[in-house]
Amino acid sequence: MVYLSLAISGENSTYMKIGMISYWACPLTRFGVLSSGGMSVYLYNLSNNLAQLGSPVDIFTRAHREKDERILTIHKNVRVIHLLSESANDHRRGVWTFSKRMLQFISEKKLDYDIFHAHYFYSGLIGIEVSRKLDIPFVQTFHTLGIMKERYGGISSVGRKHDEKLITADANGIITSTPFEKNDLQTFYHADPGKLHIVSPGVNHNVFHPHNKSFSRTKLGLPKAKKTILFVGRIDPIKGLQLLIEAVSILSGKYPHFQKNFRVLLIGGDIASQVFWQHPEVKKIKQLIVKKEIECCVKFLGSRPHSLLPFYYSASDVTVMPSVYESFGLVALEAMASGACVLASRVGGLRYLVKDGVNGRLFENGDSLDLAQKLWELLQDSKKRTQFGENALKSSQAFCWDKQAAKIQSIYKTLL
Ligand code: UDP
């Protein structure tokens, strides 16, 4: 590997060559569209921060289109290597060809790595294969677990759970986002506790920090006077958007002035594409909005550049994260780092991030009435919103990416 400025020296050196395996997510896709979300953001930030700590990183991912450039340098000492995958819909085969191509690429280019880090279960399967063939340890981050998707999202996949068990048994180390995820891996996957390390994802405070509310509204062309409720996320049943729409319809039915004075902004999805509007979840949400007659106060804005999101959080009065399950919930953390008042469901990683009544509020999972009540209380109480926002900003300081990346790097070190 030829890299610029390598900081190699002595026993305490942090220098190591890292191969990220990410079959599913590429850090160069548009966040918030289709399946691109937290995992892509995580990869981007973790890799850049590891490189800043002195370790060059190669991210192996699938080529988006056949003509995609193979290797792109996205940051000093961070490269994205796109491998062609002929089996777009058959991921079992895709994983197999990806492993083969990755090994071939490493051999052809005479690359060597100290450690591999695989993301999501598909990459974990590749991790098993390449780590065995090259005799290099691999670390796994699941991001989400099949068993949780089944429990909360009603999506059953026996094959996925089986694969996750294999990966859990084989990986040299596993990084979990929260103590809850660690517990799930021990309970449902019989993970060896000695392999499990809790390191939460981080937030980039250079991007996510508070802005003046009025300035943000002007910048985004949002009305100054209306109270604004914000949702950010992929439009997917697991994100619980239906609950928010039901809660808004409860409030709109109860308070006659609601529609005139309040506005709900939905960020996520490629609204310029037909595919978006034909997605079953989008159709369901759209129909619900029409049925409840709240079209005039709910707006689909589509996906927004990451760099603009802090302005949306700052411009809004309450950011709602109504997910029926979240292994972590990056959107909540980014909103908190932007000083926003967050109202989230009491599930998964959101329970870890949001301390109810301290740095935000939690509502009971699946309960749109509870969501409506808590949303209304927050919308009526500007002092509480400010207090929660200030405390959220303080809490977010514990999740700086540079610190989180250093913790992950020290886990790698113990495995070399
Ligand atoms: N995101 C974005 N623009 C959008 C929608 C989402 O940049 O229009 C980003 C958002 O900032 C967050 C990620 O996508 O970093 C979503 O992460 P989260 O963990 O909340 O959800 P996931 O998609 O991983 O389930």
Side-chain angles (χ1 to χ4, degrees):
M1 267 167 146
V2 183
Y3 285 104
L4 306 168
S5 73
L6 302 180
I8 322 167
S9 66
E11 252 179 40
N12 293 326
S13 166
T14 51
Y15 178 77
M16 60 185 87
K17 288 166 284 180
I18 302 159
M20 295 287 175
I21 309 172
S22 184
Y23 175 84
W24 195 251
C26 172
L28 298 176
T29 44
R30 202 168 133 202
F31 306 146
V33 172
L34 298 172
S35 61
S36 173
M39 203 162 21
S40 305
V41 174
Y42 181 103
L43 261 173
Y44 183 85
N45 285 300
L46 173 61
S47 303
N48 289 352
N49 278 280
L50 286 167
Q52 246 151 35
L53 291 169
S55 297
V57 181
D58 278 345
I59 304 170
F60 289 90
T61 189
R62 281 179 298 164
H64 311 244
R65 287 174 300 270
E66 223 164 273
K67 58 178 167 32
D68 267 351
E69 224 177 315
R70 254 191 153 192
I71 306 174
L72 291 166
T73 299
I74 59 165
H75 189 90
K76 193 173 158 193
N77 289 340
V78 182
R79 306 189 300 176
V80 178
I81 298 169
H82 292 101
L83 301 175
L84 286 177
S85 164
E86 74 233 358
S87 350
N89 294 315
D90 179 355
H91 295 301
R92 300 272 140 202
R93 258 194 78 208
V95 159
W96 186 75
T97 47
F98 190 98
S99 306
K100 241 177 57 180
R101 294 224 160 99
M102 189 172 156
L103 287 164
Q104 207 177 350
F105 186 88
I106 291 173
S107 149
E108 275 169 21
K109 305 277 175 199
K110 298 188 175 33
L111 302 174
D112 65 307
Y113 296 96
D114 297 297
I115 192 129
F116 289 119
H117 186 164
H119 301 268
Y120 200 45
F121 78 104
Y122 287 126
S123 311
L125 295 172
I126 298 162
I128 294 178
E129 181 70 9
V130 295
S131 143
R132 273 191 199 155
K133 289 260 161 67
L134 301 174
D135 195 22
I136 294 168
F138 93 96
V139 169
Q140 172 72 21
T141 301
F142 281 105
H143 295 271
T144 60
L145 289 167
I147 224 148
M148 294 297 130
K149 278 249 165 167
E150 180 174 297
R151 196 163 267 214
Y152 298 98
I155 302 156
S156 169
S157 167
V158 179
R160 173 171 173 179
K161 280 181 284 171
H162 172 263
D163 293 342
E164 287 172 339
K165 279 188 183 149
L166 284 182
I167 300 159
T168 302
D170 214 84
N172 300 86
I174 301 175
I175 292 169
T176 73
S177 294
T178 64
F180 302 119
E181 194 188 354
K182 181 180 178 197
N183 191 45
D184 292 337
L185 276 161
Q186 285 182 252
T187 312
F188 302 114
Y189 293 85
H190 313 297
D192 167 3
K195 273 190 195 179
L196 302 175
H197 308 269
I198 306 167
V199 185
S200 304
V203 60
N204 184 347
H205 285 97
N206 292 328
V207 177
F208 291 97
H209 51 85
H211 292 277
N212 175 278
K213 185 177 191 164
S214 163
F215 170 80
S216 301
R217 288 194 175 192
T218 307
K219 181 178 169 74
L220 300 170
L222 298 175
K224 285 270 161 77
K226 293 197 182 193
K227 286 257 171 69
T228 303
I229 300 154
L230 179 68
F231 165 93
V232 178
R234 291 175 295 111
I235 314 295
D236 183 291
I238 204 95
K239 295 292 170 191
L241 188 51
Q242 182 177 341
L243 286 169
L244 176 59
I245 302 302
E246 281 166 3
V248 167
S249 120
I250 292 170
L251 296 178
S252 147
K254 201 163 169 192
Y255 304 103
H257 62 290
F258 188 89
Q259 298 225 17
K260 198 168 142 252
N261 298 333
F262 294 80
R263 161 178 291 248
V264 184
L265 303 178
L266 310 178
I267 291 184
D270 182 5
I271 53 169
S273 110
Q274 277 299 316
V275 180
F276 174 79
W277 297 106
Q278 278 152 18
H279 188 285
E281 180 65 7
V282 176
K283 275 175 141 174
K284 190 182 81 187
I285 297 295
K286 205 60 224 237
Q287 277 163 10
L288 191 62
I289 293 170
V290 173
K291 187 173 154 210
K292 302 287 184 184
E293 298 176 358
I294 50 173
E295 299 104 301
C296 62
C297 68
V298 183
K299 297 266 169 293
F300 280 95
L301 298 186
S303 79
R304 284 288 186 256
H306 211 52
S307 55
L308 273 188
L309 291 183
F311 295 99
Y312 279 98
Y313 295 129
S314 301
S316 302
D317 295 284
V318 182
T319 297
V320 181
M321 195 154 185
S323 311
V324 291
Y325 181 71
E326 278 298 338
S327 56
F328 187 69
L330 266 186
V331 159
L333 175 58
E334 292 165 355
M336 290 166 78
S338 309
C341 171
V342 173
L343 171 57
S345 47
R346 197 186 289 280
V347 292
L350 294 173
R351 289 173 294 167
Y352 181 69
L353 280 170
V354 180
K355 304 286 168 245
D356 193 20
V358 179
N359 59 10
R361 289 240 56 194
L362 293 172
F363 71 93
E364 297 315 314
N365 192 15
D367 188 343
S368 50
L369 195 61
D370 191 40
L371 169 55
Q373 260 163 16
K374 286 176 176 154
L375 181 56
W376 188 250
E377 277 164 29
L378 287 173
L379 289 168
Q380 298 310 303
D381 193 340
S382 72
K383 257 170 102 180
K384 270 261 148 64
R385 292 199 305 270
T386 308
Q387 184 204 323
F388 289 153
E390 284 171 5
N391 291 344
L393 175 59
K394 278 186 213 142
S395 312
S396 75
Q397 299 300 332
F399 300 89
C400 298
W401 254 125
D402 50 354
K403 285 192 208 122
Q404 303 310 86
K407 287 181 203 161
I408 291 178
Q409 197 189 43
S410 62
I411 294 165
Y412 295 160
K413 246 183 149 179
T414 62
L415 301 173
L416 302 184

